[in-house]
Amino acid sequence: MSVTRATPPSRGLMALGAILLLTSACAKAPAVIESYDFGGLDPQRHFMAVQTAQDMRAKGQRVWCVPFARNVSGIQIRGNAEKWWGKAKGLYPRGKDPVVGAVMAFSATNSMPMGHIAVVSEVVSPREIRVDHANWKRNQVSLKMAVIDVSKANDWSAVRVESQPGSFGKTYPINGFIYPTGA
């Protein structure tokens, strides 16, 4: 049996390794990593949100998109839907990529002056998702509603929502997606 002594690494190699470690700590990570798993939808939270909306309707109360999306996603933002995108800045990661569990923030329009928010429940393809949301149809919860990206840049800045099976409505502007991992 022969034993050979391992050759110590050269000082240059050790210095290079140290520099790489130090500079990697200074690198800025992207706001959202595309492959990151945000945990999807919590089934208990989802059930509770749907049940709460059903109970409210049974009592003659109005069901709104904001409390429904907050209950489903866990994102703790208050105020009308058109304010969510701005209020999320610095509190929650935001981006242009749909991820299950993220809140899609619609911009305010003449026909939707308070904006709208919906929770991504499924990513079907790079240009199609399904959302769960409330009050798209007056005072109702809509589950697994199809949404397609119709933006020219393929960046989810404009969408059409399937309000009736096989029928996508008009184009709506989108601010982006708010991801459910808070600071």
Side-chain angles (χ1 to χ4, degrees), residues 10-76:
S10 71
R11 289 180 194 228
L13 187 57
M14 288 185 353
L16 177 62
I19 289 170
L20 288 174
L21 282 173
L22 288 172
T23 58
S24 68
C26 297
K28 185 176 180 184
V32 175
I33 301 169
E34 286 184 37
S35 64
Y36 184 78
D37 178 9
F38 288 98
L41 294 175
D42 178 328
Q44 291 177 329
R45 180 180 286 282
H46 192 273
F47 175 80
M48 184 270 309
V50 172
Q51 190 63 50
T52 298
Q54 289 173 344
D55 292 347
M56 290 176 71
R57 280 190 70 194
K59 294 175 185 174
Q61 297 172 338
R62 187 74 185 264
V63 177
W64 295 98
C65 66
V66 168
F68 180 79
R70 185 173 39 246
N71 289 342
V72 171
S73 70
I75 293 176
Q76 294 302 309

Side-chain angles (χ1 to χ4, degrees), residues 115-177:
H116 185 71
I117 55 176
V119 180
V120 178
S121 56
E122 180 183 354
V123 177
V124 177
S125 73
R127 304 279 313 257
E128 182 179 351
I129 61 175
R130 301 266 188 269
V131 296
D132 294 351
H133 54 160
N135 209 35
W136 188 259
K137 295 179 181 177
R138 186 171 174 84
N139 212 30
Q140 293 181 33
V141 170
S142 302
L143 303 176
K144 300 284 186 184
M145 190 175 272
V147 178
I148 54 172
D149 173 22
V150 294
S151 62
K152 291 178 183 165
N154 298 332
D155 64 359
W156 287 93
S157 59
V159 301
R160 292 178 66 200
V161 179
E162 184 182 35
S163 297
Q164 301 296 326
S167 174
F168 288 86
K170 68 180 190 171
T171 300
Y172 292 94
I174 301 297
N175 290 314
F177 298 89

